[in-house]
Structures are given as C-alpha cells and as structure tokens.
Amino acid sequence: MTKRKADVLQQKSPAEFFAENKNIAGFDNPGKCLYTSVRELVENSLDAAESIGQLPEIGITIEEISQRRLNSIRGIDNHERLDEELYQDFETDEARKKRLAREAKELEKLEKTFSQKGDNTALFETKKKELEAKRAAAGPKGAKVFYKVTVKDNGMGMPDKDIPDLLGRVLSGTKYGIQQTRGKFGLGAKMALIWSKMSTGLPIEVRSATKKQTYIAYYKLDINIHKNEPHVHIHKQESNPEKWHGAELSVTILGNWQYYRAKVLRYMRQIAVITPYAQFRFYYKAEDDKNSVDVTFVRRTDKMPPPPKEVKHHPASVDLELVKRLVASTTTSNLQSFLYKEFSCISKEYAGRLIDEMRSGADVEMHPRELNNKQITRLHQLLHEAKFKDPDGSHLSPAGEYNLRLGIMKELHPDMVATHQGDARVLEGHSFIVGAAVSIGGQDIKPGINVHRFANRIPLLFEGGSDVITKTALKRINWAAYKINQGSDKIGVFVSIVSTKIPYKGAGKEYIADDMDELVHAVKHAIQQCGLQLKVKIMRQQAAREQKLRRKNLTKYIPNAAAAVFKVLQSMAQAPAVGSKRRRLQEEEDILESVAQGETVEATLAQRLTEYVERIDTDMALEYQMQQGVADAARQDLYLMPLAAQHEYGPELHSSVCVLKLLQPV
C-alpha cells in the first residue's frame, strides 16, 4: 500500500480568488467580459468627474484586433499551418457541402421573398450584403477576436504615486465607506486588468493627471495575480501643455463584439438616459471600416445631482463583527462618546440611556476597548432591539425627476412622459429613494412594456425577469386603470433605486431582491404616480380627438342642412302669411323677408351654421378643461395688478370653477 500524501494548506490572494471566480464580477464569457470592462471603466470615469463637480466628457473606443495582429503586438511570429486537421476550424468535405447547401438555401429563400413582394433590387442587395456580413462575422469555428478598450475622461485623475496600487492591487480603493456608490464589488478596472492578464498577457496603459500636476503620469503595468501586487513595466512623465486633467486607460482583452454589440450600445444609451449632463462619444473601430460604429450621446443639461455623502453606520444595520471592529478602531475615550460619534441617529442623551440599559458592568465613562466579548454581544443585541430614528436620506444622490425626464426625451423622443421621485424610505437600516418615469411612444421602443432598471444610477441589463422592478411593472400594475393598453402601446418603464446598500440578489449582483415589502411598495407607488399623471394627459388627448371628430362630423352635414333649411324658408316666403302665429313670427323675425328679397341665401345659412358649430364646440371644450383643471390641479391664488394705487376688494363671487373678488376704487 502507498501512503496518502498529506494535504498541504494553501492560501489564495484576493486577485487569485477573483481570477478563478471571475463570473462573480460579471466576467462570465468573452462577450460579457468585453461588456463589463466597458461598463467598469465608464462608471469609474463618471465618478471621477462628478467628484470634482465637472460635467463629464467621456470617450470610449473599442478597437478590433485580429489574432495575427495581436501576435505582432506581442512579438510572436505568425506561422503557416502544417497540419490543418489539428485545428478547430478544420472543415471536412462533407461539412463544407452541408454549409454551402445551407447558405444556398438561405439565399434562395431571400430571393423568393423579394420576388413575391415585387421588384425591389436595392433592398434585396442590402439584405444580401447583411447576410454575407453575418456569415463573415461568425467566422470559422475557434477563431478568436481581441479588442483594445480605451476610455478617456476629464475627471479628477489619479495621483502619480497611487496609480500602481489603485489599479494593480485588488480590494484597495477609495469607495469602501458607507456611501452611495456605482460599484458593486469595488473592483473597478482591476478585474479588466486581471482578464487582460489571463486572455492576452498584455499590460494596461494608463495616462493620468490631476489638477495640481504639471505633467501627465504614464504607466504600463499589470498585476501579479498570485501575490496581489502591481508589476510596473514602464513609468514616465509626459508634458501637459493643454493642462488636461483626468485619466485614460487602455486594456487589450479577448471579447466577442458580434454577440454583445447590442448590449454594449444599449448600455451606452441607458447610461446617457440616467446622466443627461454627461457627454459620451462611442467609437467601435473594426478592421473593416464599413463595420465600424461611431455614436455621440450629447449633453442635454448642465445640472448635475449633488454628490453623495459618506455617513456613519445606522445602529440597525451593523453586525456583531462590525461592532467589534468599530470598538477596536475608535478614537473616542468613553463609551458614551463612542455611541453617538460612531453611529448615526444616536444623541448623547440617548447613548447614556442605552448604556444604562446595557448593564453587564458597563458605564458611561468606560473606555470602549475595555468591553469584553459578552459586553460587546450585549451592545450589539441592544442596538438591534432598541428603536432609533430612520436616516433621512439627505446623504443620497438620486438622478432627480428633471434629469430623468430630460434623458428620456433626449434618447427616446416619446409622445409623452411622466416622472415621480418618492420620499426616502428605510430598509434594514439603510435609506433608499425610488425614482420612476413612464413614457408612451418614442423611437426604438417595441409595443408592450419595456422595463429599464437602474441601481445607484447605473443600468442593469441582465437577469431582469427576477428583478423587483420587472415583476412590479409586469404583474402588480393595472395599466388599464390609467388608460394605457399594455399589449399595443409602446410603454417605457424607467425605475432608478439609490441607496447606501442596494439589496442585490445572485452572485453577479445583476438584479434586485423582490422579497422585501418596503421596496416593493416604493417601486409600485412610484410607477402608479406616473400612471396617474399620464391618465390625465391621455384623457385630455382623447377629449381633443373626440372634439375634432365631433366638429368634423357636424361640419360634414352643414351643406345639406343649409340647403334643406333654405328650401323650407323659400317655400314659406313665397306662401301667404296665414294664422296669428305666422304673422307674429314674421313681424318679430324678418328672415322670411330677407329670403324673399335675396338678402339671405343658402351660403349665408351655411356660414351661420359653421360659426355656431365652432362656438358650441369651443364652449364645450373650455368647460371640459375647466372641470379637469379643478379636479386634477391644485388650487392657487391668482392676482391682477390694479391700476390705481389705492383700492379695495369687493364681495366674493362664487362659481363652479373659481371665486372672484372684484377690485373697487376707494
């Protein structure tokens, strides 16, 4: 028998862990890796610009790089194949015949479709080219395409000496306080650097300058995954005559643009919706220029939301380990100061009451580090059992109704849009705010409900079916109650949730929990408020359409009605006046006389009928609008400036729509 080798205890660095479990950070496959790299770099740039109150201007470039070109960059010779059968893209004669037959069948089907529709040569050639481009893009089996992703911003930049640690050391950064942040894991560009190291082996290139720097710091570096340390290849200083400040990062990775093209462009469009104060220039540079994409998302406003603020821990949100860590790191000298300085929503007086309730040998003047494990456990228990004020949400930074509406109008051009931002609410000791918008119509919107989800002002594009926003929009809203047809109308539902702790679900944090009543109610309420606003607008539109149709129908019969009435009047004018009623009418109304003398003709009657229809129609529309205004709008005082310097008001005159006080001279 052979002896079993003893197990060796091993440790992994944070970089090593995320490299082996990259799907946790959204790096599931080459296509998703490309998408996530773009997203992380763009969101870093937004944070960098907003932190200094700078309107963001961000350039995103994705450059396609073939395997042959990548080999040249890496200094590897491109050899001709000696044994074709070794390679994944080898195609047997039988497989080639099947492929050609399938392509011929597709072309035949396309030709048959256009022959049935009639002669449209230009459109047929366009579709044929699209089919050929799709085949070419698919490429041979096993072919890999690489991409150089470059993102440049005008933000605060990174200090020269901190760049290696900020980019080359996992779980080191500036966003680990209790604060609303865009990041999900705090990895940022580090995960893109790890993926670059794994897929191409090429280092990341960084150019950065702060406002105080007179030069641009240039780095070419990668990460030692095993040690979780940066490895700097090149570090130098470049001149900065234009006094540019910001950061420019370039990373070369394996990706898949063909299958994730729509996701990347959709992300760019949605980030432009939620940040209309930013300007984005997106450029995809293909090796074949005809497949390149160049899109600019222009800035619509210069009004930015206030930056989020860092806050202290709320007592209801802390766990036992966090309490121990705060006790060990506090700089306060006694327990009372520790409670009201390290936690939010605890006053000095309330801290004293909590300590009295603790008992367990604790007192007000006791130093926090003197607490033993039992006393800390009792303190943690009390923090979760006692009642505290809810955080007010002033530290949060929602996009706001103004920016959300502008973003939607800028990118979608809807027929109508309604917005609502709710009050701050609390979930497990963390405050959150829900903002929503509902649009009807617009560009590139499919019939039905189109849900757009945002968390801390970033779009969520994956696993939407399980998200609280999607479930609420599809299952918990009675759209018919708001005069909206869920099946045929083009409905855009935009919901943005901001919080110091978004309740994500799943390893990749791609959707928000649907099992928290407070959050469900907040999302539902925000969408319903938008629905109520749209209902008023839709009813007014319907009334306007009905008014137009009614006028059209009445106007259509005016010529016939005028001719018939004129014929009757002619007959009456020619006949002698018989009876007292006829004589009295003829004396009071001289219309028969004017008809007999030719002063009133058929055209006169038609003109009078037209004027009457327009007057009645206008009166009915005005009455409807006044009723709607009283029912749906808040009442407010209106004043007219008197001509005389001295005046007084008369008695109140009441009507169904207003109360008047007439001005009277003194």
Side-chain angles (χ1 to χ4, degrees), residues 506-519:
K509 295 187 176 182
E510 295 290 354
Y511 68 97
I512 301 173
D514 185 51
D515 54 1
M516 299 181 178
D517 291 341
E518 187 69 19
L519 186 58

PDB file of all heavy atoms in Angstrom, residues 506-519:
ATOM      1  N   GLY A 506     -28.190  37.147  -6.150  1.00  0.00           N
ATOM      2  CA  GLY A 506     -27.347  36.430  -7.102  1.00  0.00           C
ATOM      3  C   GLY A 506     -25.889  36.786  -6.944  1.00  0.00           C
ATOM      4  O   GLY A 506     -25.525  37.858  -6.432  1.00  0.00           O
ATOM      5  N   ALA A 507     -25.036  35.866  -7.409  1.00  0.00           N
ATOM      6  CA  ALA A 507     -23.595  36.060  -7.251  1.00  0.00           C
ATOM      7  C   ALA A 507     -23.092  37.259  -8.035  1.00  0.00           C
ATOM      8  O   ALA A 507     -22.201  37.982  -7.596  1.00  0.00           O
ATOM      9  CB  ALA A 507     -22.859  34.793  -7.696  1.00  0.00           C
ATOM     10  N   GLY A 508     -23.665  37.492  -9.215  1.00  0.00           N
ATOM     11  CA  GLY A 508     -23.183  38.583 -10.058  1.00  0.00           C
ATOM     12  C   GLY A 508     -23.817  39.925  -9.770  1.00  0.00           C
ATOM     13  O   GLY A 508     -23.482  40.916 -10.419  1.00  0.00           O
ATOM     14  N   LYS A 509     -24.746  39.996  -8.796  1.00  0.00           N
ATOM     15  CA  LYS A 509     -25.419  41.249  -8.439  1.00  0.00           C
ATOM     16  C   LYS A 509     -26.022  41.933  -9.666  1.00  0.00           C
ATOM     17  O   LYS A 509     -25.798  43.119  -9.914  1.00  0.00           O
ATOM     18  CB  LYS A 509     -24.448  42.200  -7.735  1.00  0.00           C
ATOM     19  CG  LYS A 509     -23.939  41.696  -6.395  1.00  0.00           C
ATOM     20  CD  LYS A 509     -23.128  42.755  -5.666  1.00  0.00           C
ATOM     21  CE  LYS A 509     -22.708  42.298  -4.287  1.00  0.00           C
ATOM     22  NZ  LYS A 509     -21.972  43.311  -3.538  1.00  0.00           N
ATOM     23  N   GLU A 510     -26.825  41.163 -10.421  1.00  0.00           N
ATOM     24  CA  GLU A 510     -27.411  41.700 -11.644  1.00  0.00           C
ATOM     25  C   GLU A 510     -28.884  42.066 -11.482  1.00  0.00           C
ATOM     26  O   GLU A 510     -29.477  42.645 -12.375  1.00  0.00           O
ATOM     27  CB  GLU A 510     -27.272  40.685 -12.796  1.00  0.00           C
ATOM     28  CG  GLU A 510     -25.850  40.392 -13.217  1.00  0.00           C
ATOM     29  CD  GLU A 510     -25.179  41.550 -13.921  1.00  0.00           C
ATOM     30  OE1 GLU A 510     -25.861  42.552 -14.179  1.00  0.00           O
ATOM     31  OE2 GLU A 510     -23.971  41.462 -14.198  1.00  0.00           O
ATOM     32  N   TYR A 511     -29.516  41.701 -10.365  1.00  0.00           N
ATOM     33  CA  TYR A 511     -30.913  42.062 -10.163  1.00  0.00           C
ATOM     34  C   TYR A 511     -31.173  42.311  -8.682  1.00  0.00           C
ATOM     35  O   TYR A 511     -30.401  41.900  -7.815  1.00  0.00           O
ATOM     36  CB  TYR A 511     -31.847  40.984 -10.709  1.00  0.00           C
ATOM     37  CG  TYR A 511     -31.828  39.662  -9.969  1.00  0.00           C
ATOM     38  CD1 TYR A 511     -32.787  39.372  -9.000  1.00  0.00           C
ATOM     39  CD2 TYR A 511     -30.870  38.691 -10.252  1.00  0.00           C
ATOM     40  CE1 TYR A 511     -32.779  38.159  -8.328  1.00  0.00           C
ATOM     41  CE2 TYR A 511     -30.853  37.474  -9.590  1.00  0.00           C
ATOM     42  CZ  TYR A 511     -31.820  37.221  -8.630  1.00  0.00           C
ATOM     43  OH  TYR A 511     -31.804  36.026  -7.959  1.00  0.00           O
ATOM     44  N   ILE A 512     -32.283  43.008  -8.406  1.00  0.00           N
ATOM     45  CA  ILE A 512     -32.603  43.465  -7.055  1.00  0.00           C
ATOM     46  C   ILE A 512     -33.699  42.586  -6.466  1.00  0.00           C
ATOM     47  O   ILE A 512     -34.634  42.183  -7.165  1.00  0.00           O
ATOM     48  CB  ILE A 512     -33.031  44.942  -7.081  1.00  0.00           C
ATOM     49  CG1 ILE A 512     -31.893  45.798  -7.664  1.00  0.00           C
ATOM     50  CG2 ILE A 512     -33.393  45.442  -5.697  1.00  0.00           C
ATOM     51  CD1 ILE A 512     -32.265  47.246  -7.883  1.00  0.00           C
ATOM     52  N   ALA A 513     -33.590  42.340  -5.178  1.00  0.00           N
ATOM     53  CA  ALA A 513     -34.487  41.403  -4.491  1.00  0.00           C
ATOM     54  C   ALA A 513     -35.950  41.814  -4.633  1.00  0.00           C
ATOM     55  O   ALA A 513     -36.293  42.994  -4.612  1.00  0.00           O
ATOM     56  CB  ALA A 513     -34.111  41.329  -3.013  1.00  0.00           C
ATOM     57  N   ASP A 514     -36.811  40.798  -4.756  1.00  0.00           N
ATOM     58  CA  ASP A 514     -38.251  41.013  -4.885  1.00  0.00           C
ATOM     59  C   ASP A 514     -38.996  40.560  -3.621  1.00  0.00           C
ATOM     60  O   ASP A 514     -40.215  40.466  -3.622  1.00  0.00           O
ATOM     61  CB  ASP A 514     -38.774  40.241  -6.105  1.00  0.00           C
ATOM     62  CG  ASP A 514     -40.241  40.498  -6.375  1.00  0.00           C
ATOM     63  OD1 ASP A 514     -40.617  41.678  -6.443  1.00  0.00           O
ATOM     64  OD2 ASP A 514     -41.014  39.523  -6.473  1.00  0.00           O
ATOM     65  N   ASP A 515     -38.280  40.269  -2.552  1.00  0.00           N
ATOM     66  CA  ASP A 515     -38.907  39.702  -1.359  1.00  0.00           C
ATOM     67  C   ASP A 515     -38.907  40.671  -0.174  1.00  0.00           C
ATOM     68  O   ASP A 515     -39.015  40.252   0.971  1.00  0.00           O
ATOM     69  CB  ASP A 515     -38.200  38.402  -0.957  1.00  0.00           C
ATOM     70  CG  ASP A 515     -36.691  38.586  -0.794  1.00  0.00           C
ATOM     71  OD1 ASP A 515     -36.209  39.718  -0.981  1.00  0.00           O
ATOM     72  OD2 ASP A 515     -35.999  37.598  -0.492  1.00  0.00           O
ATOM     73  N   MET A 516     -38.784  41.972  -0.453  1.00  0.00           N
ATOM     74  CA  MET A 516     -38.786  42.973   0.613  1.00  0.00           C
ATOM     75  C   MET A 516     -39.964  43.912   0.388  1.00  0.00           C
ATOM     76  O   MET A 516     -39.989  44.688  -0.572  1.00  0.00           O
ATOM     77  CB  MET A 516     -37.463  43.743   0.626  1.00  0.00           C
ATOM     78  CG  MET A 516     -36.263  42.848   0.882  1.00  0.00           C
ATOM     79  SD  MET A 516     -34.723  43.761   0.929  1.00  0.00           S
ATOM     80  CE  MET A 516     -33.554  42.434   1.306  1.00  0.00           C
ATOM     81  N   ASP A 517     -40.941  43.837   1.286  1.00  0.00           N
ATOM     82  CA  ASP A 517     -42.204  44.559   1.099  1.00  0.00           C
ATOM     83  C   ASP A 517     -42.015  46.058   0.962  1.00  0.00           C
ATOM     84  O   ASP A 517     -42.664  46.701   0.136  1.00  0.00           O
ATOM     85  CB  ASP A 517     -43.146  44.259   2.272  1.00  0.00           C
ATOM     86  CG  ASP A 517     -43.647  42.825   2.265  1.00  0.00           C
ATOM     87  OD1 ASP A 517     -43.567  42.194   1.197  1.00  0.00           O
ATOM     88  OD2 ASP A 517     -44.098  42.337   3.321  1.00  0.00           O
ATOM     89  N   GLU A 518     -41.138  46.634   1.771  1.00  0.00           N
ATOM     90  CA  GLU A 518     -40.946  48.081   1.738  1.00  0.00           C
ATOM     91  C   GLU A 518     -40.451  48.540   0.365  1.00  0.00           C
ATOM     92  O   GLU A 518     -40.909  49.558  -0.175  1.00  0.00           O
ATOM     93  CB  GLU A 518     -39.944  48.506   2.821  1.00  0.00           C
ATOM     94  CG  GLU A 518     -39.796  50.004   2.995  1.00  0.00           C
ATOM     95  CD  GLU A 518     -41.029  50.658   3.588  1.00  0.00           C
ATOM     96  OE1 GLU A 518     -41.852  49.945   4.199  1.00  0.00           O
ATOM     97  OE2 GLU A 518     -41.175  51.883   3.422  1.00  0.00           O
ATOM     98  N   LEU A 519     -39.542  47.771  -0.222  1.00  0.00           N
ATOM     99  CA  LEU A 519     -39.016  48.106  -1.540  1.00  0.00           C
ATOM    100  C   LEU A 519     -40.077  47.895  -2.618  1.00  0.00           C
ATOM    101  O   LEU A 519     -40.221  48.717  -3.532  1.00  0.00           O
ATOM    102  CB  LEU A 519     -37.779  47.249  -1.826  1.00  0.00           C
ATOM    103  CG  LEU A 519     -37.001  47.567  -3.102  1.00  0.00           C
ATOM    104  CD1 LEU A 519     -36.522  49.018  -3.100  1.00  0.00           C
ATOM    105  CD2 LEU A 519     -35.815  46.623  -3.263  1.00  0.00           C
TER     106      LEU A 519
END
